[in-house]
Structure formats: C-alpha cells, structure tokens
Amino acid sequence: MAITNNDTIKTPAGDPLAPEPAMTDETEKNPALDFPIHWLRQTSPYINTHRGKTFVVWFSDSLIEADNFTTLVHDLTLLSHLGIRLVLVHGMRVQIDAELSRRQIASQYGTDSYSKRRMRITTTESLPAITAVIGDIRCQLESAFSTGLPNSPMSGAQISLMSGNLIVARPYGIRDGVDYQHTGELRKLRVQKIRTLLNAEMVVVLPPIGYSPTGEMFNLLSEDVAMQAAISLTADKLIFLHSDAGSIGSNLHEISTSDEQGKNEEQQFADSISSVIERSTYACKNGVNRCHIVDANNPDALLRELFTRDGSGLLINSGDYDNIRLADTNSVQGIMALIKPLMADGTLTHRTEQDLERQIDSFYITEREGSVICCASLQIANNAAQLGCLAVHPDFRASGKASEMLDHLIKVARQKKCTQLFGLSTRTGDWFLEHGFKEGSAELLHQLQRAENTRGSKLFVLEIR
Ligand SMILES: CC(C)(COP(=O)(O)OP(=O)(O)OC[C@H]1O[C@@H](n2cnc3c(N)ncnc32)[C@H](O)[C@@H]1OP(=O)(O)O)[C@@H](O)C(=O)NCCC(=O)NCCS
C-alpha cells in the first residue's frame, strides 16, 4: 500500500526527536500507517555523513542463496541512491564446493605451517568449475540489480554493476611441499580504474579472482580481497555481512584497534569471525576508518548498523579515540585552562582547581600536542551515567571532537552496564538533541539534582543498550 501524506502520523512540528507516537486503534488495524516518520528524520545525519563515502561490502557465499538476498540488493540499491560509493566483494566457497561435487571433482585443501590458514588447492582440473561459478554469481547479481518493477523498492533504480580484470594476482605457490596451483594472493588492485567506475556512479563488483601479468587466473580468498580493496581505496568503511556474526553475541558492540587484543582474549568467537576481526583490525591499522561485522541472517542488520546510533553489529574502529584518555592530576591545569572562560561566561558550572583535583578520576580528555583540547566528566551511579563539563577548545570546534568524546563515554558507560546517560545543559540543548538525547522530565531532573538547580539547567537523557 502506498503511503500518502494523509497516512503519516504527525509528530510535533520542528521536533524530529519527539517520542514515538502511541499506536492508535487505526494504526493497530493498519500497520502501514505506523510508518516511522521520526525514524526517517533521525537518519538524516547519517545520510549526510555517508554521502560520497566509499564502502567496501563483503557478503558471504550463503547469503547469495538465502531468502534475504533480495532484501540485501534493495538495501545496497538504497545506499547507492544515497550517494554511497559501493564496492561489492562476494564469497563463493559453498558454490564452488557444490559445483565441484556436481562434476565429481574432489575439493582439496591444505594448511601451511606458517599462516595456519586452510586454503583451497585450486587445481587446473577445477578451474572450469570455478569460472562457471563466477559467471553464475555475476549473472545472479546483475539480474537482481536489474529488476525494477514499479511496486518494488527497485522501481526506477537503474543501478549499473561493473566488474572486470581489476585485480592483479600472484600464485600462493608451493608451501610445505604442497602446490596450491591456481590459488593466489592479491598483488595489487587497479585503483584508478575502480575510482573511475565509482566516479561514474557504477557499483563495482570484485569477485575473488585475479589475473597475473602472464595471463594466468587465480582463485583468491574473498575476505582478503575485501580487506585489500578497502585499504587500497582508503575506504571509509569495510563491512562484512557474515552468516556467523550471530556468534559475536549482543554484549559486544565495539572494538577499538587499541583494545582489540584484550577483547579477543576475553571473548571466544567462531573461527570465521576471528578471521574477519583480524582482517578488520589490519584494515583499520592501514587507513580504513571503520569496519563493521554485521549478521547476514538478519535482513534489517545492515541498515540498522549504518543508520542508527546503537547499530546492530560489531564496530571495529581505527582507534580514532586513541587520544581520548582518563585524566590524571597532571591534566588539571590543562582542563582548567580550557574551562575557565566557559565558567566565567556562565556556560559551565563553576569549579575550583581543588574541585577538579578531587573529581579528576571521573574526567576524560583529548590531547593535541600536550594540550587538553576537549574534556568531559562521567559520573556513574545505579546503572546511570552523568556527562558533565563537556568542552572543546574554540580552535577545534565543529570537527567532531565532542561527538567523539560522547561516543567514547557511551562506550565506557556501556562497559559499566549503564542503561542511561544524562546530561544537564543551559545552552547546549540542541547539541544533545542532535546527538540522540531526549529532554528528561522535571521530576527526573529534580531527583537527579537533589541539590538546588540554581542554573535552571535542562535535563537530557540518552538510552543506551
Ligand atoms: C558544545 C561543544 C562541546 C561542541 O563541541 P564540538 O566539538 O564543536 O562539537 P561537534 O563537532 O561534535 O558538533 C558540532 C556541531 O554542534 C553544533 N553546536 C555547537 N554548539 C552548540 C550549541 N550550543 N547548541 C547547538 N548546537 C551546537 C555546531 O554548530 C556543529 O553543528 P554543525 O556541524 O551543524 O555546524 C562546544 O561547542 C563547546 O565546547 N561549547 C562550549 C561549552 C559547552 O557549551 N558545553 C556543553 C555544556 S553542557
């Protein structure tokens, strides 16, 4: 059913973050009327952030066969229409095994003692099966992206997929006496050609196949192709849509390359997930901003990961936050220098140096060349965290420093099992609202403040998972 203006549920004008309207009898009868207009509004910051960015999206072989493959194609089409430059890499292990078995050729694998990786031995005899699988998957992708029925999400889509000899490969070679024959490694990517295709608004498909300068064809690991493509293109995101991502569990949302080691020791993942975490970490350390591991079995997971603050998968970041750290007594002078003018003009609550020294364990700072350029305090009690004293040096404003600090504090609060983050503000209400907070009730404000609210601050509350 088409949704018309008359069907939409009105939220208060000018308040994009207004609470979700209660279901009325009418919406209960007709779910199409429950179209989440406010959700659409909330996505606009993400739409703006993602526009013009390059995402390398890897998806597992089993997804190509799954019922939700069509949903993935719709979602990728939506991303492309939102101005995201897409490079798609697919796995094909399952399809190759099936094709080899159909041709009564045994699948052969080897594990070399150095990399410990289990690699297919791509014999000359198996090459026709592999080229058949590549051709088949390519046709499936091209046909899926070509559908444009008027009543489907693909209506008027006109997405052009492009593929070709874009990967230069070399042989994996002979290891521990085993000749891997046509199994190869990525040697380099034709980056300029790929950029030209992306600039022409094409979606680039990179099957895990490469060619050597001698014209030989090599079968590559698709996860490596995705990782190398993301690094070579300095992609903004590398996304693994993985069928085993459910094994990550719902408690782990984010790994920073700086604390990845510790997290891996605590957490047991499926081997396939450990290997994509490893590749994501490598990609992050080599110029890719963020990597996401998203559950391929959940049809909503990709959009939820990209267009909601909480996401749905595991985010591995490049340690953007490396320079955010807990303050110590040596930071008191730097914090004081930053907040003094803001206390003087009444933006921030007054604190003396002694107050700061007493509270220093709750302060986080961002430093640049030894100077404190951003600070905030985080106080935790009863599963709730309170953000305070947020300030960014005037020279560094509007470059995302406060947003990064907020993301970091949300991560800390989550680790400490908090479910809500509070902020009090007299002048920065809009900033809080724009970052997903909602205005809290006067009653809650009263409970929280206990002491007098002489500044007349407003309370802002963010629900965190
Ligand atoms: C508010 C503050 C922390 C934001 O820091 P920042 O690093 O510039 O923030 P970000 O880069 O993450 O976000 C910048 C956006 O916030 C907006 N913003 C800044 N101050 C704002 C305010 N008082 N109200 C609403 N929006 C504000 C900017 O205009 C910018 O939006 P734009 O990109 O659409 O122009 C910084 O301006 C500051 O230190 N202000 C003085 C101290 C203060 O008010 N602290 C909050 C006390 S609760």
Side-chain angles (χ1 to χ4, degrees):
M1 183 199 208
I3 295 166
T4 67
N5 277 346
N6 295 338
D7 292 330
T8 58
I9 294 169
K10 299 280 186 293
T11 54
D15 184 2
L17 301 173
E20 192 158 359
M23 289 269 272
T24 63
D25 284 352
E26 207 185 349
T27 56
E28 273 166 31
K29 275 184 233 135
N30 186 350
L33 296 185
D34 188 28
F35 184 68
I37 294 295
H38 78 283
W39 184 86
L40 186 58
R41 289 190 180 126
Q42 279 184 346
T43 58
S44 42
Y46 297 96
I47 294 173
N48 292 335
T49 306
H50 296 331
R51 187 180 298 119
K53 300 284 165 56
T54 303
F55 292 4
V56 175
V57 182
W58 176 95
F59 49 94
S60 49
D61 39 23
S62 52
L63 186 54
I64 301 168
E65 316 282 332
D67 290 345
N68 54 345
F69 180 60
T70 314
T71 311
L72 170 68
V73 171
H74 293 169
D75 293 350
L76 291 172
T77 302
L78 175 65
L79 298 187
S80 173
H81 284 167
L82 293 175
I84 295 165
R85 296 146 60 89
L86 289 176
V87 177
L88 308 182
V89 183
H90 58 80
M92 55 180 192
R93 229 161 281 158
V94 172
Q95 289 83 351
I96 292 177
D97 283 342
E99 185 60 25
L100 288 176
S101 130
R102 204 180 64 76
R103 294 176 187 228
Q104 298 182 329
I105 301 171
S107 292
Q108 295 181 44
Y109 290 91
T111 308
D112 73 84
S113 52
Y114 177 70
S115 73
K116 308 267 188 282
R117 276 186 183 173
R118 187 166 177 268
M119 300 285 282
R120 182 187 294 282
I121 300 167
T122 312
T123 59
T124 307
E125 187 196 13
S126 64
L127 271 188
I130 291 173
T131 48
V133 166
I134 293 166
D136 191 42
I137 294 178
R138 184 169 168 176
C139 290
Q140 282 186 55
L141 283 172
E142 287 176 357
S143 91
F145 276 91
S146 299
T147 48
L149 294 176
N151 56 354
S152 82
M154 300 288 290
S155 174
Q158 299 191 339
I159 299 283
S160 298
L161 297 194
M162 279 294 149
S163 194
N165 56 341
L166 297 166
I167 298 176
V168 183
R170 62 173 170 234
Y172 193 62
I174 299 169
R175 303 199 182 199
D176 293 338
V178 176
D179 186 353
Y180 286 80
Q181 302 182 41
H182 288 275
T183 298
E185 289 179 318
L186 192 144
R187 187 169 148 191
K188 69 174 176 214
L189 223 64
R190 298 195 197 279
V191 173
Q192 275 319 318
K193 295 277 180 250
I194 296 176
R195 290 223 164 98
T196 305
L197 294 170
L198 293 173
N199 289 344
E201 298 183 2
M202 311 274 183
V203 171
V204 175
V205 180
L206 295 177
I209 263 327
Y211 304 90
S212 70
T214 57
E216 261 188 301
M217 184 179 120
F218 289 97
N219 176 23
L220 313 173
L221 275 180
S222 59
E223 296 89 335
D224 281 349
V225 170
M227 177 188 79
Q228 289 293 352
I231 293 171
S232 307
L233 293 163
T234 337
D236 300 282
K237 285 187 190 295
L238 166 60
I239 301 168
F240 285 102
L241 269 168
H242 208 293
S243 330
D244 296 337
S247 75
I248 294 169
S250 53
N251 291 331
L252 183 62
H253 304 279
E254 190 170 344
I255 295 176
S256 181
T257 48
S258 51
D259 59 19
E260 180 268 338
Q261 191 65 38
K263 279 281 191 303
N264 263 348
E265 278 164 15
E266 287 164 22
Q267 190 108 8
Q268 291 298 315
F269 303 108
D271 285 352
S272 53
I273 292 298
S274 297
S275 89
V276 288
I277 291 180
E278 210 178 283
R279 287 180 176 91
S280 301
T281 305
Y282 184 81
C284 280
K285 288 181 176 162
N286 286 277
V288 179
N289 224 357
R290 287 172 176 223
C291 299
H292 303 252
I293 303 172
V294 178
D295 187 1
N297 300 311
N298 176 352
D300 298 338
L302 178 62
L303 294 190
R304 204 175 275 279
E305 178 69 6
L306 294 175
F307 294 101
T308 63
R309 175 175 279 279
D310 284 340
S312 72
L314 175 63
L315 166 68
I316 295 144
N317 69 53
S318 58
D320 285 354
Y321 312 138
D322 276 357
N323 54 359
I324 298 182
R325 65 169 180 88
L326 253 175
D328 54 35
T329 44
N330 294 328
S331 329
V332 170
Q333 292 297 332
I335 297 174
M336 203 36 129
L338 177 61
I339 64 174
K340 212 171 189 169
L342 297 165
M343 295 190 299
D345 73 5
T347 310
L348 293 179
T349 313
H350 186 75
R351 284 176 173 84
T352 63
E353 232 171 84
Q354 290 70 33
D355 294 333
L356 264 186
E357 275 164 15
R358 264 198 315 278
Q359 300 162 356
I360 200 70
D361 291 343
S362 65
F363 268 81
Y364 289 79
I365 55 169
T366 309
E367 282 175 308
R368 177 73 57 96
E369 291 166 4
S371 299
V372 176
I373 60 163
C374 174
C375 73
S377 68
L378 189 74
Q379 283 168 335
I380 295 187
N382 305 329
N383 289 349
Q386 185 169 339
L387 161 71
C389 203
L390 176 65
V392 173
H393 189 282
D395 290 353
F396 295 93
R397 287 195 189 151
S399 64
K401 291 280 162 257
S403 305
E404 282 176 13
M405 178 62 84
L406 173 64
D407 284 348
H408 184 79
L409 297 183
I410 290 172
K411 195 173 142 194
V412 175
R414 267 195 196 122
Q415 279 165 1
K416 300 203 186 266
K417 313 263 181 270
C418 294
T419 53
Q420 284 182 315
L421 178 65
F422 299 107
L424 288 165
S425 179
T426 48
R427 302 183 193 181
T428 327
D430 282 2
W431 187 89
F432 281 102
L433 292 176
E434 283 167 26
H435 285 76
F437 286 74
K438 291 184 178 164
E439 204 173 321
S441 65
E443 194 187 331
L444 188 56
L445 174 63
H446 184 70
Q447 278 173 24
L448 265 176
Q449 283 220 310
R450 289 173 296 266
E452 72 292 357
N453 180 12
T454 46
R455 288 162 47 81
S457 306
K458 283 187 176 171
L459 173 68
F460 297 90
V461 185
L462 181 74
E463 303 293 332
I464 49 181
R465 279 198 291 159

